[in-house]
Amino acid sequence: MKDVLRILLPLLVWLASFSAIYGLHGIGCAAGWPDVALAGSSLFRLALLAAWIAAIVLQVAILIALRSTRFRADEGFAYRVSVALAWVGVVAILWTLFPLATVAECRVMG
Amino acid sequence: MLAGAGGILGLVLLLLGAAFRTRGRAPDEGRDVKVWIVGLGLGFTMSVLAALTVYGVYSGQQLMPRDGTDVVSVQAEARRWSWSFAYADRPGHITDGIMHIPAGRPVDVAITSADVVHSFWVPRLAGKLDAIPGHVNTIRIEADMPGTYEGLTAEYNGPGYSDHGFAVIAHDPQAWADFVAGGDR
Amino acid sequence: MTALRRHRRLSAIWASEPGWKGWTSSVNHTDLGRMFLATSFFFFFVGGVLAMLVRAQLATPHSAFADAGAFSQFFTMHGTIMMFLFAIPTFEGLAIYLLPKLLGTRDLAFPRLTAYGYWCYVFGGSMLLVAMVLGIAPDGGWFMYPPLTGPLHSPGINTDFWLIGITFVEISAIAAAVELTVSILKYRAPGMSLDKMPIFAWYALVTALMILTGFPPLILGSVLLELERAFGLPFFQVELGGDSLLWQHLFWLFGHPEVYIIFLPAAGVISTIIPVMARTTLLGYGWIVASAVALAFLSFGLWVHHMFTTGIPFMGLAFFSAASTLVAVPTGVQVFAWIGTLWKGRPELHLPMLHILGFFVTFLIGGLTGVMVAVVPFDWQVHDTAFVTAHLHYVLFGGFVFPILAGIYYWLPLFSGRRRFFRLGELAFALIFLGFHGTFLAMHWVGLLGQRRRIETYDAETGWGTINLISSISSFVMAIGLAMVLVDLLIHAFVSVRAARNPWKAGSLEWASMSPPPPYNFASLPQVDTRDPLHGDPDLPNRLARGEGYLGDPATDRRETLTVSIGAARPDFMVIYPGNTRLPIVMAAVTGLFFLSILLKLYWVTPLALAGVAALAVVWVWRLGTQMDQGPQEAGRGVTLPLAGETEKSPGWWGSVFLLVANATFFGSLLFGYAFLWTVAPGWPPQEWLAPSLLEFGAGTLAAVIAMLALRFAIRRNRRHGGALPRLALALGATAVTALVFATLLVRLPPADGHAYAATLFVLGAYGLFHALLVGLMLAFVIARVRRGYASAVRVAEFHIVLLWTDYLAGITVLSLLAAHVPGVLA
């Protein structure tokens, strides 16, 4: 069961981070954070960036942990699959959330 | 986009067809994984998709409405099965089934619904935006030429759905001035 | 014992009752798998006829064939039937039929649950059929957006049929998912470690886990909408603090994973068939497993892409647009792995392979248009046009129907032990392929020209007439092709030509038993050490029939199998299955009575039906277990194993774990809904809060903790032989206090039909009350079992199952009370 959990963990964490940051974006837009200037940017952008960086760090930490002698899967197959999925987690967190660094804040398209 | 999709389809089908030719190559699992899974499966798909994603986000960004001084505001309210429009430039005036706008100027349409979910769509002017009860969504449209444009409802809303639509009349500056001034339009 | 005598003896133990009586009392997975598949293809036929009616109406402009009301029932029921009554049950049926054979075991984990799920499916599906025959079928589109489907705009019973019937059917999906998960993890042949599982089992495992987490949001949405319709709790009414967007979120939280729940089993079939047809092994097994898992997770991060036009900020759209393109990567990995497998081997063009080729062409086009739709500006134009309808048919027909047809023709010799006589299937394939592409290429085209989906007529001036006519004619060609498949199967059933065992020379275990398979599957269970056991040992079928594997010598009339450790597949316990029984069908009927009482608003029946379900559930579990310790059992090949009831982590424990996963997703979705309404719905904050009560909060939390501790003490005492009863009684008392706390919460709430706030808390409180009563029932059950001698220091399984539920109750109690009291404190 632990090996199955190792296989499921990296992307479970991605899903949690992705949903949480989407939620944060919704709350930020509703609360008017884009209008709060902070350190040359806005509270909104900085909050999202901070959350994103934390999520990336978490994802990388999982990758390192699943390769480490302490937490790695005992069995070769589960080890290979879990490490591959940990890489997917890193790519996914970068790929799916990159718009938060570049896109306009809270504007509805139209 | 269509050409790119066609190219990919052709490539994959070619590879698929070529699998059926006879050949005398010794199988080599390691090499096959490198070619098919790492090269084509990961490398090829990811580069195409990354390019497409960046393009999509960038081009969407370009479509975002920009601030302008000559933006006209219209409110659209949908109900089963009609649309009514109110105008910031002519307070108190409401038109049913016809939306008047000036040609050559950006127009912000604030869309809402009085009953169920509808969707505002003028195919020749812009994409769709839903009319949701309790929410106001704003879409930016602009008609380059004066004329009449067909508007449609694009979310199923019951038995009157097929014929539920409206017309957009884009006026030249003179006619728009008349309309705002209360001309009999 | 000779092979023939062993066959007779095992058949006598495992056989269902003969004739039609066997249908209602069978709990055998081979029987139920066949019944599932037959029923799901019946619904495929019904859904297909509805599609023909839709195409007949759209063939010409201004058609007078059907009016708007009938047309809306056609397209709603077509989508609903194909999604819920065909696609998902077909997966369930195929997996139920095949998995124990693929995994080298004798049945699924919970045979009676298989039967219960089947009957829930039949009864729930029948409710929708009845609605259709009476002309009062659902008509709001298969995704049922409120407020259109709310009490104001759809006052008729039509929508209730959908909400109640589909929820009833979903019980079978959840039941099957729990069962398949536990079966794949625990019920395998010894030695079949995770990396030696047939690839279909991996796909089925991933799909089952997705059902467990994907369906609860929809079940919650249906419950909320039905509560709004029946009792006026305003979850989706904007005037009273609700928001129709909540439905869209809940629906698509289910709806997008659903697409992959449908695709992944089909991909499992493809991954099984391609290597066999190419006389080789699957390229990149580990990569494919990783892709399937990645696909499953990524698909949960896509739901908002169905809501691109609802006015969500562009940044949010961009997140989901990026996630939608990313999900194509694991799909691409699988497609290229399959093509690489074909290159690696020497593919032969048998009929299953033709359907696989049909899959490749169709699914690729569907995938490419899917990537286009993921690009926001493009979706803005084609959303809600025939283009999207065409796209989704390419994905679903290409990604599901072609592979399933391939699978049917591939496993047909196993199903029947016969081979095909006429080459009707090849002609049928040609008609289906050409007809399909004619129908839906044309639909892409009119979609781009601006034809909206779900319109029942259009003007001749639009110029769409010819294209629609081509589409309609092609669709009838496709229908003729599908009918020919049916004819082919009927001929197959009557014209008997014995087939050799394993005609495709496959390596997986399902071909190691007889064809058609006997009710016990394997005379003895194999020891597996490669991914393709039959290739490594062609004599395996005979050795198994001679009883050289595990459990080859049934000592008594028990239905025996064994379970293995999850990772390395070492045998750990022996399992004794229950025999034939009508309990599942009776229980499904009483469950149906519950749903029917709500549908027909006969609310005095509802509590009676619930009590009936509870009573039957007690009978259900009471029949298991023994009043004596049995000790280690002889399992053959020199192995002795304890019985599953004499362990802490029994199959029932594992089943509870995964059922609680689904349950927790339901609860999480409810909390999400609460938070969503709070932040997004216009009518908040409510005028009146629940008055916070320290007594209520403290009593609830304390009682939950006491119940958890008392049960743990009871378990410890029981291990030391006796003294468990007082502690169990304490746990029961504490649970009663929890129930009381939830009851007072419900009473103290502001009127639930006044605002979505009170309505949500009402559901939260009712959910907590239900679970408190459930755990109370379980604890009372364990007390009775202890008193009657069904528990001992060794027979502890039931304690640990109840412990899981007690802990879960404690968790939801604390979270619910926080959600109910904290806002009032802050205000």
Side-chain angles (χ1 to χ4, degrees):
Chain A
M1 195 60 197
K2 276 194 188 132
D3 279 355
V4 176
L5 287 178
R6 283 189 184 95
I7 288 173
L8 299 181
L9 178 74
L11 286 172
L12 198 60
V13 170
W14 165 79
L15 188 60
S17 306
F18 180 76
S19 308
I21 291 178
Y22 176 62
L24 188 68
H25 143 274
I27 292 171
C29 286
W33 292 356
D35 303 330
V36 184
L38 193 72
S41 182
S42 66
L43 172 63
F44 182 76
R45 181 86 69 194
L46 292 180
L48 284 186
L49 276 176
W52 189 32
I53 291 167
I56 296 170
V57 168
L58 183 60
Q59 220 63 60
V60 172
I62 288 170
L63 174 63
I64 293 171
L66 284 173
R67 292 171 56 103
S68 70
T69 44
R70 182 137 174 236
F71 296 107
R72 60 184 287 168
D74 315 320
E75 191 239 341
F77 173 76
Y79 172 74
R80 287 195 303 278
V81 174
S82 60
V83 169
L85 286 167
W87 275 109
V88 175
V90 174
V91 171
I93 199 80
L94 292 171
W95 183 300
T96 53
L97 289 174
F98 87 92
L100 67 77
T102 61
V103 164
E105 301 161 333
C106 296
R107 300 279 294 273
V108 174
M109 199 170 144
Chain B
M1 200 151 65
L2 205 60
I8 294 170
L9 180 67
L11 173 75
V12 177
L13 291 184
L14 202 69
L15 288 173
L16 186 64
F20 286 85
R21 78 200 153 82
T22 52
R23 75 203 97 78
R25 214 181 36 167
D28 174 354
E29 180 95 15
R31 182 204 58 205
D32 286 350
V33 165
K34 250 186 218 143
V35 171
W36 288 102
I37 291 176
V38 179
L40 284 166
L42 287 172
F44 174 70
T45 15
M46 277 178 75
S47 27
V48 170
L49 289 169
L52 187 73
T53 309
V54 172
Y55 161 79
V57 170
Y58 177 76
S59 64
Q61 181 91 307
Q62 296 303 304
L63 287 175
M64 302 280 285
R66 265 153 244 286
D67 297 328
T69 46
D70 58 346
V71 180
V72 174
S73 292
V74 180
Q75 284 132 38
E77 190 181 69
R79 66 176 57 78
R80 303 202 300 172
W81 287 270
S82 66
W83 286 85
S84 54
F85 302 93
Y87 305 87
D89 291 345
R90 188 177 168 187
H93 187 63
I94 288 174
T95 54
D96 283 327
I98 298 172
M99 180 166 84
H100 298 274
I101 60 167
R105 285 174 68 185
V107 178
D108 274 352
V109 187
I111 304 160
T112 192
S113 164
D115 43 31
V116 306
V117 178
H118 307 268
S119 192
F120 177 94
W121 189 30
V122 188
R124 285 165 62 200
L125 298 184
K128 306 178 180 72
L129 201 60
D130 288 356
I132 300 167
H135 295 265
V136 178
N137 289 326
T138 305
I139 192 170
R140 170 72 57 88
I141 61 174
E142 187 170 340
D144 294 333
M145 301 293 293
T148 304
Y149 300 82
E150 188 194 16
L152 293 168
T153 299
E155 183 68 61
Y156 183 72
N157 58 17
Y161 175 62
S162 296
D163 300 323
H164 189 200
F166 55 96
V168 179
I169 300 181
H171 301 280
D172 59 36
Q174 184 57 48
W176 177 249
D178 285 352
F179 172 74
V180 170
D184 192 30
R185 297 256 183 185
Chain C
M1 205 188 295
T2 65
L4 189 62
R5 275 197 54 198
R6 177 171 292 103
H7 169 65
R8 287 202 181 122
R9 174 138 175 68
L10 283 166
S11 295
I13 296 173
W14 287 80
S16 306
E17 291 178 53
W20 66 268
K21 283 166 83 180
W23 295 2
T24 55
S25 69
S26 176
V27 291
N28 181 282
H29 79 99
T30 301
D31 290 345
L32 285 159
R34 275 197 308 237
M35 287 154 73
F36 246 112
L37 286 172
T39 313
S40 76
F41 272 82
F42 167 73
F43 280 112
F44 185 49
F45 173 75
V46 176
V49 169
L50 287 164
M52 294 300 98
L53 294 174
V54 169
R55 279 316 322 168
Q57 167 70 14
L58 288 177
T60 52
H62 286 304
S63 166
F65 174 70
D67 61 11
F71 187 76
S72 61
Q73 293 191 16
F74 293 165
F75 69 71
T76 302
M77 287 303 287
H78 167 69
T80 303
I81 286 181
M82 288 303 194
M83 286 284 181
F84 297 104
L85 302 181
F86 166 61
I88 302 291
T90 301
F91 158 65
E92 288 159 23
L94 197 66
I96 286 170
Y97 182 87
L98 281 177
L99 272 173
K101 301 178 178 70
L102 282 165
L103 297 172
T105 186
R106 283 179 173 153
D107 207 327
L108 293 164
F110 312 110
R112 294 178 301 177
L113 190 64
T114 325
Y116 175 66
Y118 173 73
W119 292 112
C120 285
Y121 164 48
V122 170
F123 295 153
S126 309
M127 283 164 80
L128 284 163
L129 282 185
V130 167
M132 212 165 66
V133 170
L134 297 179
I136 46 173
D139 53 4
W142 79 274
F143 37 76
M144 291 274 135
Y145 279 3
L148 177 62
T149 50
L152 223 57
H153 300 288
S154 296
I157 198 172
N158 308 44
T159 306
D160 301 308
F161 269 109
W162 194 98
L163 296 169
I164 289 168
I166 293 300
T167 303
F168 193 8
V169 170
E170 273 155 9
I171 291 182
S172 84
I174 298 284
V178 168
E179 163 149 83
L180 295 175
T181 308
V182 177
S183 302
I184 295 166
L185 291 177
K186 295 294 293 178
Y187 288 69
R188 285 178 268 144
M192 188 186 276
S193 49
L194 288 177
D195 59 323
K196 296 191 186 71
M197 281 204 312
I199 192 72
F200 181 80
W202 268 109
Y203 277 106
L205 175 63
V206 171
T207 311
L209 290 172
M210 286 182 77
I211 290 178
L212 290 180
T213 44
F215 275 56
L218 176 64
I219 297 177
L220 174 67
S222 304
V223 170
L224 298 187
L225 186 51
E226 186 55 34
L227 284 173
E228 173 171 317
R229 292 178 55 85
F231 305 108
L233 271 55
F235 299 102
F236 307 106
Q237 286 170 21
V238 73
E239 305 79 33
L240 296 175
D243 196 331
S244 59
L245 281 175
L246 174 61
W247 171 270
Q248 297 196 21
H249 278 286
L250 291 175
F251 187 87
W252 292 116
L253 262 171
F254 145 83
H256 201 84
E258 158 90 346
V259 175
Y260 293 89
I261 289 172
I262 291 173
F263 170 62
L264 282 172
V269 171
I270 297 165
S271 297
T272 307
I273 297 179
I274 282 187
V276 177
M277 291 291 138
R279 308 254 148 279
T280 183
T281 51
L282 188 62
L283 179 68
Y285 176 91
W287 288 96
I288 290 193
V289 171
S291 302
V293 175
L295 205 55
F297 277 104
L298 292 173
S299 73
F300 279 93
L302 301 183
W303 80 95
V304 171
H305 88 197
H306 296 269
M307 304 166 61
F308 275 0
T309 61
T310 55
I312 286 168
F314 182 67
M315 185 185 282
L317 299 191
F319 292 163
F320 286 92
S321 182
S324 312
T325 53
L326 184 62
V327 81
V329 176
T331 316
V333 168
Q334 289 171 77
V335 168
F336 282 112
W338 292 328
I339 298 180
T341 306
L342 289 173
W343 274 60
K344 191 158 79 104
R346 297 191 173 281
E348 294 167 9
L349 263 188
H350 300 292
L351 183 53
M353 195 64 211
L354 283 181
H355 283 287
I356 300 266
L357 292 180
F359 149 78
F360 269 111
V361 175
T362 313
F363 186 72
L364 266 169
I365 297 176
L368 289 168
T369 53
V371 172
M372 291 183 192
V373 178
V375 177
V376 178
F378 185 74
D379 183 68
W380 254 39
Q381 276 302 337
V382 299
H383 189 92
D384 268 311
T385 68
F387 187 92
V388 167
T389 319
H391 154 70
L392 75 93
H393 280 87
Y394 263 81
V395 173
L396 292 174
F397 202 97
F400 187 74
V401 179
F402 276 124
I404 288 299
L405 290 175
I408 284 186
Y409 278 115
Y410 175 77
W411 279 299
L412 198 56
L414 177 74
F415 271 55
S416 64
R418 296 171 184 178
R419 63 187 165 84
R420 291 193 308 126
F421 189 64
F422 301 108
R423 295 177 72 80
L424 203 55
E426 281 77 358
L427 182 61
F429 167 74
L431 290 180
I432 294 170
F433 186 80
L434 294 175
F436 176 83
H437 284 272
T439 310
F440 291 103
L441 279 177
M443 267 172 78
H444 277 118
W445 188 11
V446 283
L448 286 176
L449 292 180
Q451 180 176 328
R452 292 168 292 157
R453 68 198 285 194
R454 298 176 171 175
I455 52 168
E456 83 275 9
T457 64
Y458 49 91
D459 286 331
E461 304 95 79
T462 54
W464 301 336
T466 319
I467 311 174
N468 274 305
L469 189 61
I470 293 172
S471 176
S472 294
I473 292 173
S474 304
S475 73
F476 281 87
V477 173
M478 170 166 66
I480 293 169
L482 287 166
M484 279 171 68
V485 171
L486 190 67
V487 172
D488 198 21
L489 296 181
L490 286 177
I491 292 177
H492 185 83
F494 292 111
V495 181
S496 170
V497 187
R498 286 293 311 169
R501 171 146 58 183
N502 195 2
W504 313 109
K505 306 274 177 295
S508 44
L509 280 175
E510 78 270 33
W511 303 100
S513 76
M514 286 184 280
S515 314
Y520 55 83
N521 283 347
F522 301 98
S524 61
L525 303 186
Q527 169 77 35
V528 171
D529 43 21
T530 65
R531 216 172 277 156
D532 292 301
L534 285 184
H535 286 160
D537 179 6
D539 193 39
L540 184 66
N542 295 326
R543 294 203 296 110
L544 294 182
R546 287 199 299 269
E548 290 176 25
Y550 298 92
L551 300 177
D553 294 303
T556 58
D557 283 346
R558 304 183 308 193
R559 297 185 177 181
E560 298 172 335
T561 194
L562 53 77
T563 61
V564 296
S565 63
I566 288 174
R570 278 183 294 273
D572 54 8
F573 314 125
M574 187 193 276
V575 174
I576 311 297
Y577 285 126
N580 300 331
T581 166
R582 283 193 184 77
L583 198 53
I585 189 172
V586 173
M587 178 118 147
V590 179
T591 314
L593 190 65
F594 165 74
F595 283 105
L596 216 55
S597 69
I598 298 174
L599 179 69
L600 301 177
K601 305 199 187 301
L602 299 171
Y603 296 123
W604 60 272
V605 181
T606 313
L608 297 179
L610 269 180
V613 171
L616 286 168
V618 168
V619 175
W620 185 292
V621 276
W622 190 272
R623 288 189 183 174
L624 299 173
T626 57
Q627 283 160 302
M628 265 198 329
D629 293 348
Q630 306 285 317
Q633 307 281 312
E634 204 61 49
R637 294 174 67 116
V639 173
T640 55
L641 299 172
L643 284 180
E646 300 180 355
T647 62
E648 291 181 10
K649 292 183 181 175
S650 61
W653 187 87
W654 285 105
S656 288
V657 167
F658 291 105
L659 187 57
L660 285 173
V661 167
N663 200 345
T665 315
F666 182 92
F667 183 70
S669 305
L670 184 57
L671 290 183
F672 161 79
Y674 189 41
F676 177 84
L677 288 177
W678 196 296
T679 48
V680 175
W684 287 63
Q687 288 181 334
E688 192 187 349
W689 301 96
L690 172 78
S693 150
L694 196 60
L695 177 67
E696 196 176 88
F697 185 84
T701 311
L702 195 64
V705 172
I706 289 175
M708 280 165 68
L709 291 177
L711 187 51
R712 280 180 168 76
F713 288 133
I715 289 173
R716 194 187 296 171
R717 271 312 185 85
N718 176 63
R719 210 178 292 139
R720 294 194 213 129
H721 305 283
L725 279 176
R727 283 142 194 95
L728 284 172
L730 177 62
L732 181 61
T735 306
V737 172
T738 310
L740 203 64
V741 165
F742 278 115
T744 56
L745 177 75
L746 287 174
V747 172
R748 294 197 311 117
L749 275 177
D753 56 359
H755 193 276
Y757 160 77
T760 313
L761 285 191
F762 180 84
V763 176
L764 213 55
Y767 179 87
L769 179 61
F770 171 79
H771 279 80
L773 294 176
L774 182 66
V775 169
L777 182 64
M778 287 179 169
L779 285 165
F781 174 84
V782 170
I783 290 171
R785 294 284 269 188
V786 170
R787 291 173 59 108
R788 292 294 180 83
Y790 279 95
S792 74
V794 180
R795 284 167 283 132
V796 293
E798 286 161 4
F799 283 93
H800 289 270
I801 295 172
V802 178
L803 184 62
L804 278 176
W805 289 87
T806 310
D807 290 356
Y808 182 76
L809 175 65
I812 60 158
T813 302
V814 173
L815 288 174
S816 305
L817 290 177
L818 280 174
H821 286 85
V822 167
V825 174
L826 293 180

